[in-house]
Amino acid sequence: MSLLSVENLSFSIDGTKLLKNITFSLEKGSLTLVAGKNGSGKSMLLKCLKGLEKPDEGIIKVNGKVLKREKERMKAFGLVFQDTSLEIVGSTVRKDIAFGLENLRMERDIIQEKTNRMVSLFALEKIQDLPPSVLSGGEKRRLSIAGVLAMEPEIILMDEPLANLDYPSVKMVLSTLVQLKEKGVTVIIVSHEAEKLLSLTDNTIILSEGRLVDMGRSKDMMGALRDNEVYLPPKAVFEDLTWLK
Amino acid sequence: MAQINPFASLVMLISASIASSLLSGYETVAVLLLVLIVPFFFNVNILKVMWSMKVMLITALLIFLFSYFGKGSLLSSISESAKFLSVIGLSALYIKKSDLIDLATTMGSILSPLLGKRGRKASSAVMMTLALFPIIFSTATEMMNARKSRGGSFLYHPIKSITEYTVSMMRLLFQKVVIFQDALYSRSWTTGGERTKVVLGKRDWVLMILAFILLIGFVLWKKVF
């Protein structure tokens, strides 16, 4: 059984349809890339899944259960935003990881335990008491992911996780994605930068003008990505499409 | 110095404010001199700190001038200025030494028994406002630099320039606020929602008891002497 099943998801603003009958399903533990040109509806898809926007129609199921209410989608999905400066709120790394857990009104000792686990998992020990303002781009991104993962969502959504990062920071984030995959975490990534992470992903979904135009195993989607004006280096081999090497 | 529990900071702030309001003119000047001299023993560059507080210093100077020309007493005017600086300084310390999120959570805990959900909503509003200050400053600076780099100047047609700048900045800020709000909601934060309470540590209890004892002692001393 699929972990996530989306059926006929549609969303419009002021009569303009931004998502049109999106249907797909994903297995547990998969890493999926959502690609497409600007304005194709990628970020809006993440917002609808997360519950930040209410779709006009469609069914979202996680583990076979239909998520009708916004609260259910908020709990099932974790969303890592593109702009970390607007997402990180804690005065220290530890406090930021604990922020979401405090919102869930967990007991203090459970918050402490989960925060310690995230600090250890993402190797944040040396910087855990530092203010987020002094962190590098890659460290901030890892902190954002840690803060979301601490809340134990079923699926993690990431909006342009590699945007505005230098090469070392990109490698740091890609290593984190590999780590998440090894832990069996289901991740959906929206990114323009297919050439940096395609070979790490299991599946690729291509959106165009709000429609899902193609979907398949990532290794079979190179031609479709190029046809939909998503950049891939010419003559590139699938295994080379990662900056982690 | 590590962060202090906001409730403990609030108790100390209230105690210091009450004590400050009971000081006579000479006592205020003595405290002010202490505030200026003591930092030298801790290698704190008091002039640098004062320069960073220049807006408050200008306001204190205005209070002094209005008081002096109104009442004609130099000591009384200095005392009023000093009291203003001490309350504002302590409030700034309260905000600086307390975690922003803990501050809002504690405020909500204090206000909610009195005002119910409205109390927590008020504290959420305070938290959002404080969290947005760095975003506002960085956005404003970014826009100003972008305009300067294209030859823009507020001195040329100042009203038009400032109006355009303000409108553009507000529009950009609203977009950032929406993203910020989405980021908070996506981590289960809700306006007026309850959160895990902030715990008072041993040091916080010691500081509160000390502040209370000093306040009572000071009030008694004033009554006796």
Side-chain angles (χ1 to χ4, degrees), chain B residues 41-109:
Chain B
F41 293 98
F42 293 94
N43 286 325
V44 174
N45 188 340
I46 190 68
L47 293 173
K48 196 175 171 188
V49 171
M50 283 171 72
W51 181 245
S52 70
M53 292 165 41
K54 49 188 176 290
V55 173
M56 285 204 306
L57 288 175
I58 292 168
T59 311
L61 181 64
L62 287 171
I63 291 172
F64 166 78
L65 289 170
F66 284 129
S67 176
Y68 181 68
F69 288 117
K71 293 182 187 172
S73 163
L74 184 66
L75 190 62
S76 169
S77 306
I78 292 173
S79 169
E80 291 204 14
S81 256
K83 281 180 186 177
F84 164 77
L85 276 176
S86 68
V87 168
I88 297 296
L90 285 168
S91 303
L93 202 66
Y94 165 55
I95 291 171
K96 199 174 160 59
K97 282 296 169 194
S98 299
D99 179 74
L100 169 69
I101 298 162
D102 288 348
L103 205 117
T105 307
T106 305
M107 267 185 70
S109 303

Side-chain angles (χ1 to χ4, degrees), chain A residues 47 50 52 74 81 86-87 89-91 95-96 99-106 108 111 147 151, chain B residues 3 99-102 127 135 176 179-180 182-189 194-199:
Chain A
K47 283 188 172 180
K50 176 63 186 172
L52 293 171
M74 281 282 180
F81 285 77
L86 294 174
E87 187 179 13
V89 292
S91 56
K95 282 221 174 266
D96 191 73
F99 176 69
L101 301 170
E102 287 169 355
N103 292 336
L104 294 174
R105 287 203 276 158
M106 289 189 179
R108 198 44 75 177
I111 292 175
M151 298 173 73
Chain B
Q3 302 230 310
D99 179 74
L100 169 69
I101 298 162
D102 288 348
M127 184 210 136
I135 297 170
K176 288 197 175 190
I179 298 171
F180 180 61
D182 279 347
L184 291 177
Y185 281 150
S186 72
R187 289 170 77 182
S188 300
W189 183 88
E194 282 194 60
R195 306 182 74 244
T196 304
K197 289 197 176 5
V198 183
V199 170

Side-chain angles (χ1 to χ4, degrees), chain A residues 23 39 84 139 142 176 184 199 203 207 217 237 244:
Chain A
T23 299
T84 51
E139 285 168 340
R142 268 197 313 168
T176 307
S199 71
N203 313 299
L207 298 186
R217 304 297 289 173
V237 173
L244 204 49

Side-chain angles (χ1 to χ4, degrees), chain B residues 2 21 54 75 92 97-98 116 123 153 155 163 172 177 183 190 199 205 213 222:
Chain B
S21 67
K54 49 188 176 290
L75 190 62
K97 282 296 169 194
S98 299
S123 68
S153 167
L155 296 175
T163 310
L172 191 58
V177 165
T190 51
V199 170
W205 280 110
I213 290 172
K222 288 287 286 180

